[in-house]
Amino acid sequence: MKLLRYGAPGAEKPGMLDATGTIRDLSGVVPDLGGAALSPEGLARLAALDPATLPVVEAGVRLGPPVAGTRNFVAIGLNYADHAAESGAAVPKEPIIFLKSLNTLAGPDDDIEIPPDSQKSDWEVELAIVIGTTAKRVTEEAALGHVAGYAVCNDVSEREWQLERGGTWDKGKSADGYGPVGPWLVTADEVADPQDLPMWLELDGKRMQDGSTRTMIFDVRTLVAYVSRFVTLHPGDIITTGTPPGVGLGMKPPVYLRPGQVMRVGIEGLGVQTQRTVAAA
């Protein structure tokens, strides 16, 4: 299934994308796409519905983040060896974990506001894991059983704040709207192999990133198990899993985002995001 949330920011309703690409309203079935709705039983209930019996949602509606009730937005750094190389960093021996503020969560096509003192905002196409059932110190063998599905994420990053201002990476990763997720949550049963997904990002029509989850250093099951040792993961929590090469930081000379640009961000089978960059007030 492709599950989504639509409507104005803060007032999104749950929905489902049917086989024709039409959005169907789920608000008469579940209050939102979070909590128990993301469990195996909750997803099975939604999968058993006949989409044709659900109300049609008008085309062109805004999409929000595809899950509700997120408590933890966890990110993994330098999880592609070729991206580590372009960043001038050593390949990590264990996953690098940092947190993105929940303010960063945004819809897949929302404008991205560049803060007035940002000079080095950058892009990162990433595979996002959405947790469906609570995971606390789970084994790698059990890890995928806690995954509701997957989505596209753009881990927008302010490199000066991340790398040149001391302390942890979090402040360079947490500007408002710097974590668009979606357009959909694609349930795990529809993703045959999360370690074989082509992914890409275009800036103003130019392909900047062109990679695959095949080159992850730490795979999905490893990441879920590892993160759950340190952070209890709850339904609706998101782990965004690192980016392949082609970020602005790695270019010679570096290239960074400025207001007035358009990004398109996609992962095969998981959909495409389109974002305009605008100057923040």
Side-chain angles (χ1 to χ4, degrees):
M1 288 181 293
K2 293 182 174 66
L3 301 174
L4 54 89
R5 297 170 68 247
Y6 68 92
E12 292 94 346
K13 295 180 179 181
M16 170 190 293
L17 197 73
D18 72 16
T20 70
T22 300
I23 296 175
R24 300 284 181 160
D25 178 42
L26 284 173
S27 58
V29 180
V30 289
D32 212 338
L33 293 173
L38 299 175
S39 69
E41 298 77 17
L43 294 176
R45 180 185 177 207
L46 297 180
L49 297 171
D50 178 359
T53 65
L54 300 170
V56 171
V57 176
E58 65 183 58
V61 69
R62 172 192 175 267
L63 299 182
V67 290
T70 302
R71 298 195 206 179
N72 297 295
F73 193 178
V74 181
I76 307 299
L78 300 175
N79 195 31
Y80 289 70
D82 34 13
H83 172 56
E86 75 171 349
S87 301
V91 173
K93 295 180 180 178
E94 294 189 43
I96 295 172
I97 297 175
F98 59 93
L99 298 176
K100 290 179 75 75
S101 167
L102 295 181
N103 314 334
T104 65
L105 282 172
D109 302 327
D110 288 350
D111 290 347
I112 290 181
E113 295 187 352
I114 307 295
D117 53 345
S118 168
Q119 300 299 317
K120 296 183 179 181
S121 285
D122 201 351
W123 55 84
E124 295 190 5
V125 57
E126 303 199 4
L127 173 69
I129 304 165
V130 177
I131 299 299
T133 56
T134 300
K136 182 175 184 177
R137 295 191 290 273
V138 302
T139 64
E140 290 187 16
E141 292 72 23
L144 293 184
H146 294 273
V147 174
Y150 303 93
V152 181
C153 178
N154 187 358
D155 177 21
V156 186
S157 309
E158 215 300 341
R159 301 301 189 188
E160 179 191 358
W161 303 353
Q162 176 190 357
L163 302 171
E164 301 174 31
R165 300 287 292 273
T168 65
W169 289 6
D170 304 54
K171 63 179 173 285
K173 299 284 190 169
S174 291
D176 291 352
Y178 270 32
V181 177
W184 319 299
L185 163 64
V186 179
T187 51
D189 60 297
E190 292 199 3
V191 180
D193 184 358
Q195 303 310 144
D196 190 20
L197 297 175
M199 55 204 306
W200 51 269
L201 183 145
E202 294 174 352
L203 179 65
D204 292 337
K206 180 180 179 182
R207 185 67 58 102
M208 310 301 279
Q209 291 186 273
D210 202 348
S212 169
T213 58
R214 289 193 304 271
T215 64
M216 278 186 184
I217 298 166
F218 305 105
D219 63 13
V220 167
R221 69 175 66 240
T222 300
L223 293 175
V224 172
Y226 185 86
V227 172
S228 78
R229 291 169 55 188
F230 308 101
V231 179
T232 298
L233 298 167
H234 301 275
D237 283 358
I238 296 168
I239 304 173
T240 190
T241 58
T243 197
V247 300
L249 173 69
M251 298 185 177
K252 302 189 188 317
V255 175
Y256 296 114
L257 296 170
R258 62 183 188 277
Q261 297 182 295
V262 175
M263 285 183 284
R264 296 185 72 245
V265 189
I267 299 179
E268 186 172 293
L270 303 186
V272 177
Q273 306 179 346
T274 302
Q275 296 130 15
R276 284 190 320 130
T277 56
V278 299

